[in-house]
């Protein structure tokens, strides 16, 4: 006798519902998109402990746009409508926060100074070539950091013809086409650093449009390690510089410097809370070989910083940045 095969499903078999796995993956992408949008929009709420995680996230905040694009590609591949809708949140936040930096900037009103900021590196093997590149920018003011002997003399010689006025204090200097006065050291040394460390100066520029207080600063470096972002010294130095600028009696004020931080970094709040900065141009300046962030800054009070951009690489590990500052 031949037995008929049982055509029914066995007790251990389960039905497969088409599209369920895809939908689940879509919700995961949507969840990541909402989380990314929250971080981009409310990064100030991210706690800075442990390891100054808030400052660390803020240091690379613009790169959140790359994550948005990556999620968009995955959502399109998965053909997930819910993920695509959720991505509208981080896209909107990123465009609102950084979209203006993609614009060319407004035309100058005429009362302006062109300024260059450059950490020239104490290991620069071609200071004369670096100086020539900065001269070609046609800037009114040139601020330099990491000036060490015997390079200082090379910069002074190469810049003398175009910038007859200059001041060097410690390892920072300012070169100007216009007369300078009131040159002085600005003490921004953190308590834990030994004496002899001098990275701040202030001078009054006798510009064609009136006096301008110019500050040049090089804040302490930060390091990223297993414990997070080590920025305590940088933050303390920023606070000292912020107090000096708050007490400044001459207006307008222009700050040029390697601040070892981006403008979104809460560690620079003592400065960004009272000074304006460029709202056009990313100008990532460090590291020169593959720029990831703009830590070389131009900020101002009673003046507007226009479009900021980088200049071609020099012998430094930083790129120079140049901006137009319109005086009020």
């Amino acid at each position: 006798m031949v037995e008929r095969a049982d055509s029914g499903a066995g007790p251990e078999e389960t039905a497969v519902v088409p599209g369920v796995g895809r939908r689940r993956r879509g919700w995961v992408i949507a969840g990541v998109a909402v989380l990314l949008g929250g971080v981009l929009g409310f990064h100030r709420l991210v706690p800075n402990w442990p390891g100054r995680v808030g400052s660390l996230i803020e240091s690379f905040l613009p790169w959140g746009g790359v994550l948005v694009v990556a999620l968009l590609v995955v959502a399109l591949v998965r053909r997930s409508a819910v993920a695509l809708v959720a991505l509208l949140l981080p896209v909107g936040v990123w465009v609102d926060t950084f979209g203006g930096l993609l614009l060319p900037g407004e035309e100058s009103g005429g009362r302006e100074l062109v300024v260059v900021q450059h950490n020239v590196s104490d290991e620069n093997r071609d200071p004369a070539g670096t100086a020539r590149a900065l001269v070609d920018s046609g800037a009114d003011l040139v601020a330099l950091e990491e000036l060490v002997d015997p390079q200082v003399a090379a910069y002074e010689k190469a810049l003398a013809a175009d910038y007859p006025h200059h001041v060097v204090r410690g390892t920072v200097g300012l070169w100007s086409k216009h007369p300078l006065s009131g040159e002085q050291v600005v003490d921004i040394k953190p308590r834990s650093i030994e004496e002899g460390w001098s990275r701040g100066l202030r001078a009054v520029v006798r510009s064609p449009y009136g006096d301008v207080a110019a500050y040049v600063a090089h804040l302490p470096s930060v390091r990223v390690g297993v414990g997070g972002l080590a920025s305590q010294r940088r933050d303390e130095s920023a606070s000292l510089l912020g107090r000096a600028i708050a007490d400044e009696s001459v207006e307008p004020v222009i700050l040029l410097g390697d601040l070892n931080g981006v403008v979104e970094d809460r560690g620079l709040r003592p400065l960004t809370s009272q000074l304006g900065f460029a709202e056009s141009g990313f100008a990532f300046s460090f590291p020169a070989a593959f720029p990831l962030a703009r830590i070389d800054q131009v900020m101002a009070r009673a003046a507007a910083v226009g479009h900021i951009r980088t200049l071609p690489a020099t012998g430094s590990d930083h790129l120079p940045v140049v901006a137009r500052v319109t005086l009020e």
Side-chain angles (χ1 to χ4, degrees):
M1 182 176 66
V2 178
E3 295 181 357
R4 289 185 303 173
D6 187 0
S7 60
E12 295 182 1
E13 294 183 16
T14 57
V16 177
V17 180
V20 170
R22 182 181 300 168
R23 286 197 294 272
R24 288 176 179 173
R25 289 191 291 269
W27 280 105
V28 170
I29 298 169
V32 174
V34 171
L35 177 62
L36 178 58
V39 171
L40 289 173
F42 302 98
H43 55 90
R44 295 290 183 196
L45 299 181
V46 177
N48 219 22
W49 186 90
R52 282 176 160 73
V53 63
S55 283
L56 182 59
I57 290 173
E58 289 161 348
S59 297
F60 300 99
L61 212 57
W63 291 98
V66 176
L67 298 179
V68 172
V69 173
L71 288 174
L72 177 62
V73 171
V74 175
L76 290 173
V77 170
R78 298 296 185 187
R79 291 181 291 179
S80 171
V82 67
L84 291 172
V85 172
L87 275 166
L88 293 176
L89 174 62
V91 168
V93 175
W94 192 94
V95 171
D96 180 66
T97 306
F98 300 109
L101 297 176
L102 299 172
L103 301 177
E106 299 180 358
E107 293 293 329
S108 167
R111 289 170 47 87
E112 70 173 21
L113 296 174
V114 179
V115 300
V116 163
Q117 151 58 31
H118 191 27
N119 179 327
V120 294
S121 174
D122 55 9
E123 298 180 352
N124 194 324
R125 297 183 178 180
D126 185 20
T130 297
R132 287 193 296 271
L134 301 180
V135 168
D136 290 343
S137 70
D140 296 277
L141 302 176
V142 175
L144 305 181
E145 297 84 43
E146 292 199 14
L147 294 171
V148 295
D149 291 327
Q151 295 180 3
V152 176
Y155 288 111
E156 289 175 334
K157 180 179 179 180
L159 295 171
D162 294 272
Y163 299 93
H165 313 282
H166 85 281
V167 54
V168 175
R169 294 289 185 271
T171 59
V172 299
L174 178 67
W175 274 258
S176 173
K177 290 185 176 181
H178 313 297
L180 300 175
S181 65
E183 301 93 335
Q184 63 188 71
V185 170
V186 178
D187 185 7
I188 59 173
K189 184 183 76 65
R191 289 166 293 181
S192 60
I193 294 181
E194 297 179 357
E195 294 297 329
W197 189 95
S198 180
R199 291 187 178 184
L201 70 80
R202 177 258 192 195
V204 176
V205 181
R206 307 291 187 186
S207 84
Y209 316 109
D211 289 353
V212 177
Y215 284 75
V216 181
H218 183 191
L219 302 189
S221 299
V222 300
R223 294 289 185 269
V224 180
V226 293
L229 188 71
S231 63
Q232 295 91 330
R233 288 178 171 179
R234 193 278 312 271
D235 296 351
E236 182 181 349
S237 191
S239 294
L240 293 171
L241 180 58
R243 292 173 197 167
I245 292 176
D247 293 337
E248 178 59 59
S249 60
V250 176
E251 300 283 357
V253 175
I254 299 176
L255 169 61
L256 304 153
D258 174 4
L259 304 186
N260 272 302
V262 300
V263 294
E264 293 81 18
D265 188 335
R266 67 192 67 184
L268 297 186
R269 283 291 294 167
L271 302 171
T272 55
S273 62
Q274 58 177 318
L275 299 170
F277 42 85
E279 296 183 356
S280 173
F282 281 99
F284 293 158
S285 63
F286 183 82
F290 189 79
L292 293 173
R294 186 177 79 237
I295 62 175
D296 296 274
Q297 305 293 353
V298 177
M299 300 182 183
R301 185 172 70 206
V305 182
H307 182 78
I308 191 168
R309 61 184 176 88
T310 56
L311 297 176
T314 65
S316 171
D317 55 346
H318 291 241
L319 295 177
V321 298
V322 59
R324 296 180 179 273
V325 180
T326 303
L327 308 180
E328 295 181 358

